[in-house]
Amino acid sequence: MNHIFLYGPPGAGKSSVGKALAEKLCLPFIDLDLEIEKSASKTISTIINEQGESAFRDLETAALKRAVSASPRVIALGGGALLHHENRAFAESNGKIVLLTAELNILLERLQSENGKRPLLTGDLREKLSSLLSKRAEHYGSFPLSIHVDYKTPEQVVRQAQIDLGRHHLSAMGGYDVEVEGINELIHYPLKNPIIVTDENVAKHHLEKLRSILQASGFESKPVIVPAGEEYKNLETISRLWKSFLDHGLDRKSIVIALGGGVISDMAGFAASTFMRGMDWVCVPTTLLSMVDASIGGKTGFDLPEGKNLIGSFHAPKLVLADPLLLETLPETELISGIAEVVKHGIISDPELFSFCGHGLGWVKENLEEVVKRAMAVKIKIIEEDPYEKGIRASLNLGHTVGHAVESVSHFQLRHGEAVAIGMVAEAKLSERLAVAGKGLSEAIAESLSVLGLPIQIPKDLPRDELIRAMRVDKKKNAKAIRFALPAEIGRVELVDVTDLENVLED
């Protein structure tokens, strides 16, 4: 985990945002200007007045190097701290820089009460600030990660920063980190006696790379390779994992690394949750579906012949490390399947993400990192509010009640994402019939999915009575009805109890 540097002009809110971001990520926070003042036992104004700006910049460089030498943290920088090439290169090699910027009038409003505290702005504040922004315009414009903070609360800026950085800390289930970052970052996390659980397809592409990363950290990791496919997500495979853990001498202090898609994370997480009454695990997802959905939230489990995920537990990983570069080896059919969950998250809570998906598969491929970060953020926001699915988290089941039935009855000939796509359209049509949604919503959803190459209709050869039976054993049922997450509009879902399942499958 690297440092996070907040940078930008005076008044952009680096300190207030930095404190809030550090709290969200459970990291220490440092205001570099305050550190300089503590070290010098003088205010910055006094330092500049007595020794000049050049001397202050030297102190700034020294303070920056001291701050970076410690554990990862959020660091608020002075508005000119990275003007020196040396400082900028040093910061970029030790973390990520987030530029906070705002319109001149916004900055002036915020700085009015700080008259005299900013030595470089002494005198006519508007004139001095305007001149400073003009001189630094090219410099500030050169930072790729930039957030406009105009009229936004620190909380809103923090959320945007987390999305842009791909960095989250979930507080539920003991707390764990989620990062969109290269798998080399794994070496910065404490590991003991790790064992890698993966499947035969993923092993061909990524197992040796992960083993070499662990080996560089001093670990001779042991792999357990299981057959690939949903049909192997069963008790027999779980038993094999338990036996492998025993054979390799794992104990409660060992750690399981799940390298693969949702099937692998579900099974490895469940095996970890039950072996010796629970051990830690890390998730390294290798599919789009897993990165944006299956790896996050702590749900683990396996299937029974009667239905998907009927046996399971809540057992969150200590870390989810999503590396978009791992998707380069993913077959296009699997990538398209995963996009269904991205569309789902757009429908639930991010209309702009839904609109982006409407640009088609080419756009998604070119913007995979942004897609992963935005879709992941939707799920994280929901599960932080409702970690154990007692309320709003059920909205994530959009498309899944019908989708799981379609997937099961097709004997998994349809991929999970394909089945969910079909389910979203069917449930959107149901939403229109129940007047939860206005006319045209199901058509808009179907059009977006079709552009991405996803199916939108229940195959004619799937018996309707079997689909209804599969829905009845779905884990989201209650005594009298099945609770559906129905789309009300793009960006909002409502939970509705449905008793007439025949109505669900009407075309």
Side-chain angles (χ1 to χ4, degrees):
M1 181 184 290
N2 292 320
H3 299 282
I4 297 171
F5 302 96
L6 296 182
Y7 189 49
K14 301 181 289 291
S15 294
S16 57
V17 170
K19 290 175 184 176
L21 179 60
E23 184 177 352
K24 276 284 188 182
L25 296 176
C26 286
L27 293 175
F29 170 72
I30 286 182
D31 185 315
L32 202 67
D33 282 352
L34 292 180
E35 291 300 307
I36 294 169
E37 291 182 335
K38 288 178 185 177
S39 178
S41 299
K42 297 178 182 179
T43 66
I44 290 174
S45 294
T46 301
I47 295 171
I48 291 179
N49 289 334
E50 292 180 354
Q51 303 175 50
E53 184 179 351
S54 178
F56 165 69
R57 295 302 178 194
D58 290 340
L59 293 174
E60 194 171 46
T61 298
L64 177 61
K65 291 182 176 180
R66 286 196 302 272
V68 168
S69 67
S71 60
R73 56 197 56 205
V74 177
I75 303 171
L77 301 172
L82 303 183
L83 287 169
H84 288 181
H85 175 73
E86 177 192 355
N87 286 2
R88 178 168 182 172
F90 186 74
E92 288 176 335
S93 65
N94 284 280
K96 293 188 177 180
I97 302 165
V98 180
L99 182 84
L100 304 183
T101 185
E103 296 299 322
L104 174 62
N105 288 338
I106 301 296
L107 297 175
L108 284 170
E109 286 179 20
R110 296 181 174 186
L111 293 170
Q112 290 293 346
S113 63
E114 299 185 20
N115 191 30
K117 295 182 180 179
R118 310 258 183 178
L120 299 182
L121 299 177
T122 301
D124 186 318
L125 180 59
R126 175 178 286 274
E127 181 182 334
K128 288 293 185 69
L129 181 58
S130 180
S131 175
L132 182 145
L133 293 177
S134 178
K135 290 177 182 177
R136 296 181 183 176
E138 184 177 352
H139 171 67
Y140 286 150
S142 67
F143 291 89
L145 207 169
S146 176
I147 300 174
H148 287 272
V149 303
D150 307 34
Y151 301 110
K152 293 177 182 174
T153 65
E155 291 73 24
Q156 289 172 322
V157 178
V158 165
R159 175 165 169 75
Q160 187 60 54
Q162 288 189 267
I163 294 172
D164 291 348
L165 290 165
R167 291 270 289 269
H168 304 266
H169 180 84
L170 282 72
S171 57
M173 303 181 199
Y176 59 102
D177 293 320
V178 176
E179 287 195 53
V180 180
E181 193 56 85
I183 61 172
N184 286 336
E185 285 298 301
L186 195 60
I187 64 175
H188 297 303
Y189 282 80
L191 302 172
K192 181 179 179 181
N193 193 23
I195 188 168
I196 301 170
V197 175
T198 190
D199 68 41
E200 53 198 8
N201 289 341
V202 174
K204 297 173 187 175
H205 300 289
H206 305 303
L207 177 58
E208 287 311 310
K209 180 179 181 180
L210 180 55
R211 291 189 73 183
S212 66
I213 289 170
L214 295 176
Q215 191 172 37
S217 298
F219 296 108
E220 289 296 334
S221 54
K222 320 162 192 72
V224 180
I225 303 172
V226 300
E230 182 80 30
E231 62 269 33
Y232 296 102
K233 186 180 165 182
N234 53 35
L235 181 58
E236 182 179 351
T237 306
I238 295 292
S239 296
R240 177 180 168 184
L241 293 181
W242 285 329
K243 188 176 186 305
S244 296
F245 294 172
L246 280 173
D247 291 344
H248 288 102
L250 269 62
D251 57 31
R252 293 188 67 184
K253 294 182 180 179
S254 303
I255 195 159
V256 175
I257 301 176
L259 175 69
V263 171
I264 287 297
S265 62
D266 277 358
M267 291 195 297
F270 181 80
S273 76
T274 47
F275 185 77
M276 294 191 176
R277 296 188 176 91
M279 57 193 295
D280 290 341
W281 68 294
V282 165
C283 186
V284 182
T286 60
T287 67
L288 179 59
L289 189 151
S290 184
M291 287 185 185
V292 305
D293 187 66
S295 66
I296 308 166
K299 283 185 177 181
T300 70
F302 61 93
D303 303 338
L304 293 180
E306 292 79 5
K308 283 174 58 72
N309 300 321
L310 293 178
I311 306 297
S313 64
F314 284 100
H315 185 59
K318 287 300 178 184
L319 169 69
V320 177
L321 193 59
D323 183 354
L325 292 179
L326 298 182
L327 300 178
E328 291 181 354
T329 61
L330 194 66
E332 186 169 284
T333 51
E334 290 295 337
L335 182 69
I336 293 172
S337 177
I339 294 172
E341 295 287 352
V342 175
V343 174
K344 182 196 78 174
H345 289 177
I347 296 170
I348 291 172
S349 183
D350 190 342
E352 190 174 17
L353 177 60
F354 178 81
S355 177
F356 286 158
C357 291
H359 296 330
L361 183 61
W363 185 92
V364 172
K365 285 182 176 180
E366 292 175 3
N367 296 274
L368 271 176
E369 184 171 335
E370 181 179 358
V371 165
V372 169
K373 288 176 177 177
R374 292 191 69 139
M376 171 188 288
V378 170
K379 180 163 186 179
I380 288 172
K381 184 175 184 293
I382 291 171
I383 62 178
E384 278 289 84
E385 294 179 27
D386 180 20
Y388 294 102
E389 200 170 329
K390 295 181 179 179
I392 190 175
R393 180 166 176 167
S395 63
L396 293 167
N397 290 326
L398 169 65
H400 282 63
T401 302
V402 172
H404 279 170
V406 168
E407 189 179 7
S408 177
V409 174
S410 76
H411 301 291
F412 304 105
Q413 294 304 302
L414 283 165
R415 292 175 173 82
H416 177 73
E418 294 170 335
V420 168
I422 292 169
M424 283 192 285
V425 175
E427 292 175 18
K429 290 179 179 178
L430 173 64
S431 186
E432 291 176 357
R433 288 194 293 273
L434 297 178
V436 173
K439 294 295 182 183
L441 181 63
S442 62
E443 186 176 339
I445 292 172
E447 182 178 348
S448 181
L449 294 167
S450 293
V451 166
L452 294 164
L454 285 158
I456 57 174
Q457 293 183 328
I458 299 174
K460 299 295 185 184
D461 60 341
L462 296 187
R464 287 332 191 233
D465 58 336
E466 289 188 28
L467 290 172
I468 291 173
R469 190 179 308 115
M471 282 191 282
R472 290 197 186 283
V473 299
D474 189 85
K475 63 187 180 300
K476 292 171 284 295
K477 71 177 182 177
N478 60 31
K480 298 180 180 179
I482 292 179
R483 175 157 291 181
F484 281 78
L486 298 181
E489 58 186 352
I490 301 301
R492 184 169 64 88
V493 169
E494 291 186 13
L495 304 180
V496 179
D497 289 336
V498 177
T499 55
D500 183 5
L501 297 187
E502 295 283 353
N503 187 30
V504 175
L505 300 180
E506 286 184 18
D507 202 352

